[in-house]
Amino acid sequence: MTVTGARALAGALIVACVLLVGPSASNGAHIAGPLPAGAPEEAVPNRVMTWNICNPCKGSGQNAGRAAEIAAYAPQVIGLQEACVGDVERIRDHLQYRYGLVYHVKYGSVLRNWSRCGGVPWRPGGFGQAILSAAPMTGHVNVEYPDGGSEDRGYMAVTTLVDGRPVRVFNTHLAQRRQESVRMKQTGVLAKAVAQYDRTIVLGDFNAVPESAELDGMWDLFTDADPSCGPSTDGPCEPTTDWRSKFDYIFLRGFTSLAQDVHLTPYSDHDLVQADLRRA
């Protein structure tokens, strides 16, 4: 090949790479797609979200869609359950490079599982919880419940900012349905941990409806971000799952809820739950 031909080939390859990859993302600019219509352009300081993304429910490769769902509301703090580390990394990248939303992340993995999360057999991906926050996080802890039931379960906690004030944020996923006695033990562990904080938010999938006995300890300490929802069986609690039960909670202590919304999503069998808060 002549020198001229080599240069022409190199130039063509460079152009092809630019077309495939897009402009450099080193400055955090958007590289693909506009924000969803009406979405905030930066994180909303008093907004929090909980979402069981149910990996690998309904297959994988849906992280761009999950990021778009989150970007539509741009919460300050996001608690994810049933989350593989690799999926959270990709969701976080989409949020930054497609939508300009930059989040810190901490993980609460409770197991490493190749069949769930991929990776190589000798280094399988972490699976469990994750917290994303637009503000830095400190005091990260990750605790496995002594009895996880049919699968390892636990909670994680960080200190970060909501509505401009430091708050201890917990994120948990309790044992699967029909394991009430296990969840009772788990909420006992969780309630002991959260009771020492006057300003606390607990996000998570509790796998229990509001009137369940295993949630009594939580109701003693917290209110739900859905102001009409409580432990009474006649409370009009908005469902948060495909089977139209409320399993997902934003428990509040030291905050009041201005509004809670539940958003149906094709990317999980749990709905996305977000709330705007105000310091009590």
Side-chain angles (χ1 to χ4, degrees), residues 182-258:
V182 176
R183 291 197 299 274
M184 185 75 76
K185 297 174 186 176
Q186 292 172 346
T187 54
V189 173
L190 180 62
K192 184 177 180 180
V194 300
Q196 58 187 302
Y197 299 97
D198 293 330
R199 188 165 55 246
T200 317
I201 299 169
V202 181
L203 310 170
D205 171 9
F206 283 74
N207 272 317
V209 294
E211 64 270 21
S212 300
E214 58 263 38
L215 293 189
D216 286 350
M218 297 302 296
W219 291 120
D220 288 343
L221 295 169
F222 294 93
T223 58
D224 188 56
D226 180 352
S228 62
C229 184
S232 172
T233 56
D234 58 0
C237 300
E238 190 171 3
T240 65
T241 65
D242 282 0
W243 49 96
R244 309 328 295 154
S245 295
K246 179 178 172 68
F247 280 2
D248 304 273
Y249 297 83
I250 298 175
F251 281 120
L252 305 175
R253 192 177 189 190
F255 286 87
T256 57
S257 176
L258 299 174

Side-chain angles (χ1 to χ4, degrees), residues 68-90:
E69 296 276 288
I70 293 170
Y73 311 103
Q76 173 80 6
V77 173
I78 306 156
L80 300 178
Q81 304 88 41
E82 291 203 66
C84 291
V85 169
D87 285 326
V88 175
E89 289 173 342
R90 286 184 280 275

Side-chain angles (χ1 to χ4, degrees), residues 51-275:
W51 191 13
N52 181 327
I53 61 174
C54 203
N55 183 286
C57 291
K58 299 181 181 177
S60 58
Q62 302 187 66
N63 295 313
R66 290 167 174 154
E69 296 276 288
I70 293 170
Y73 311 103
Q76 173 80 6
V77 173
I78 306 156
L80 300 178
Q81 304 88 41
E82 291 203 66
C84 291
V85 169
D87 285 326
V88 175
E89 289 173 342
R90 286 184 280 275
I91 290 168
R92 183 190 183 198
D93 285 346
H94 284 302
L95 287 167
Q96 179 171 355
Y97 298 125
R98 295 190 67 176
Y99 304 111
L101 298 169
V102 179
Y103 287 97
H104 305 266
V105 63
K106 296 292 184 183
Y107 294 100
S109 298
V110 293
L111 59 89
R112 294 190 175 276
N113 190 298
W114 180 82
S115 63
R116 275 189 185 270
C117 296
V120 292
W122 56 90
R123 191 180 179 185
F127 176 80
Q129 289 75 246
I131 293 177
L132 289 78
S133 176
M137 293 176 278
T138 59
H140 172 223
V141 299
N142 186 34
V143 176
E144 288 193 40
Y145 293 121
D147 184 358
S150 57
E151 182 178 81
D152 293 349
R153 295 291 162 91
Y155 73 81
M156 62 178 300
V158 300
T159 298
T160 189
L161 298 179
V162 174
D163 198 22
R165 294 289 298 276
V167 58
R168 194 68 173 163
V169 178
F170 288 76
N171 183 20
T172 192
H173 185 198
L174 301 191
Q176 295 174 354
R177 289 179 291 174
R178 303 180 184 88
Q179 299 182 59
E180 293 86 352
S181 62
V182 176
R183 291 197 299 274
M184 185 75 76
K185 297 174 186 176
Q186 292 172 346
T187 54
V189 173
L190 180 62
K192 184 177 180 180
V194 300
Q196 58 187 302
Y197 299 97
D198 293 330
R199 188 165 55 246
T200 317
I201 299 169
V202 181
L203 310 170
D205 171 9
F206 283 74
N207 272 317
V209 294
E211 64 270 21
S212 300
E214 58 263 38
L215 293 189
D216 286 350
M218 297 302 296
W219 291 120
D220 288 343
L221 295 169
F222 294 93
T223 58
D224 188 56
D226 180 352
S228 62
C229 184
S232 172
T233 56
D234 58 0
C237 300
E238 190 171 3
T240 65
T241 65
D242 282 0
W243 49 96
R244 309 328 295 154
S245 295
K246 179 178 172 68
F247 280 2
D248 304 273
Y249 297 83
I250 298 175
F251 281 120
L252 305 175
R253 192 177 189 190
F255 286 87
T256 57
S257 176
L258 299 174
Q260 179 190 273
D261 293 297
V262 178
H263 308 284
L264 297 174
T265 170
Y267 300 106
S268 173
D269 58 359
H270 286 254
D271 304 331
L272 185 155
V273 184
Q274 63 99 33

